Amino acid sequence: MASSAAFANSLLSLKSHRPNALPSSTCVAIPKSNNLSLQFKDNSRKNQLQQHARFTTFCSVEAAKDAAQDTPIEQRYEAFPTVMDINQIRDILPHRFPFLLVDRVIEYNPGVSAVAIKNVTINDNFFPGHFPERPIMPGVLMVEAMAQVGGLVMLQPEVGGSRDNFFFAGIDKVRFRKPVIAGDTLVMRMTLIKLQKRFGIAKMEGKAYVGGEVACEGEFLMATGSD
């Protein structure tokens, strides 16, 4: 009984007087059990301990104080910014359903690079056949989506491209690092590496991410032209 009371008093002392006493790597386990029958002369301290018993385990005192832990998960993450919406994308790219694979541009440096997203949903028309029991986005469509982001970079007045004369000319060093499944958001960055306007050839580097991990990467060759 005495040891239990001493443990409780140390917890309360830590909270009120020494918030930084424990290193960040120390785990503080707050018991959830209501079977502790401790005797307190001060009822306020007993109430405080009972309030602690409703919390789960935190790996540091700082984590226990983190206000984000009290924020509902649906409110913790901000939406991707919108630099170009789907209507602006349609004004640049000639692709249409079911082959327009870019939903939003979230970063754009004219004539240099673009970052865009593709929201992968179970309603995408390729999932019924790839595969019925395990919906995985085909690798060739990941490459096509990245090429379309490259098109958003190249089909701009400052670059000199034309939507009527722009082709995906080749790919090299393509690697698929992880499967992309329904429910994922594919974040694609395409960067212009070399442009030869005389020959209408552009070389681009692309990477596609899911949750911050590389899902696909490679080098792209684009054939450009003007009207």
Side-chain angles (χ1 to χ4, degrees):
M1 185 69 69
S3 60
S4 298
F7 172 73
N9 286 332
S10 65
L11 285 177
L12 295 175
S13 176
L14 174 64
K15 179 178 183 297
S16 59
H17 300 295
R18 297 193 301 157
N20 297 319
L22 292 179
S24 57
S25 60
T26 302
C27 291
V28 180
I30 309 298
K32 285 187 173 182
S33 173
N34 293 324
N35 296 326
L36 290 176
S37 56
L38 305 180
Q39 300 295 324
F40 292 93
K41 294 181 180 180
D42 186 352
N43 287 332
S44 64
R45 286 206 163 192
K46 181 177 181 180
N47 292 336
Q48 286 178 323
L49 181 62
Q50 289 174 343
Q51 289 176 355
H52 278 292
R54 290 197 294 268
F55 289 101
T56 55
T57 300
F58 298 96
C59 285
S60 70
V61 175
E62 289 77 8
K65 294 181 178 181
D66 189 358
Q69 298 289 338
D70 298 327
T71 304
I73 190 170
E74 65 272 17
Q75 297 178 12
R76 292 181 195 171
Y77 304 99
E78 296 182 1
F80 285 105
T82 302
V83 176
M84 293 184 193
D85 62 21
I86 189 61
N87 294 316
Q88 293 169 305
I89 292 171
R90 285 162 55 92
D91 287 340
I92 299 173
L93 294 179
H95 306 76
R96 293 296 181 266
F97 176 85
F99 225 67
L100 180 55
L101 301 174
V102 182
D103 293 322
R104 181 187 301 180
V105 175
I106 62 176
E107 181 183 283
Y108 176 62
N109 297 312
V112 178
S113 66
V115 182
I117 63 173
K118 158 64 178 168
N119 293 309
V120 184
T121 80
I122 195 62
N123 292 316
D124 282 313
N125 70 318
F126 47 79
F127 278 137
H130 197 279
F131 300 99
E133 301 301 324
R134 189 184 180 192
I136 298 176
M137 185 176 184
V140 292
L141 292 185
M142 293 168 59
V143 170
E144 170 62 26
M146 295 166 70
Q148 291 182 17
V149 179
L152 292 171
V153 177
M154 302 307 301
L155 298 179
Q156 299 292 323
E158 58 269 18
V159 182
S162 166
R163 60 184 287 166
D164 297 322
N165 191 10
F166 178 82
F167 301 98
F168 184 13
I171 54 175
D172 193 19
K173 300 179 182 179
V174 173
R175 296 291 184 270
F176 301 100
R177 304 298 184 186
K178 63 177 297 184
V180 177
I181 63 175
D184 285 341
T185 297
L186 191 65
V187 182
M188 302 164 285
R189 175 180 289 275
M190 292 291 290
T191 304
L192 180 62
I193 302 300
K194 187 176 183 180
L195 175 62
Q196 296 179 331
K197 284 190 175 183
R198 180 180 176 183
F199 301 103
I201 298 295
K203 183 178 181 180
M204 306 193 76
E205 181 182 76
K207 287 189 177 183
Y209 302 81
V210 173
E213 297 182 15
V214 176
C216 177
E217 60 184 336
E219 295 178 354
F220 295 71
L221 196 65
M222 310 291 189
T224 66
S226 59
D227 292 335

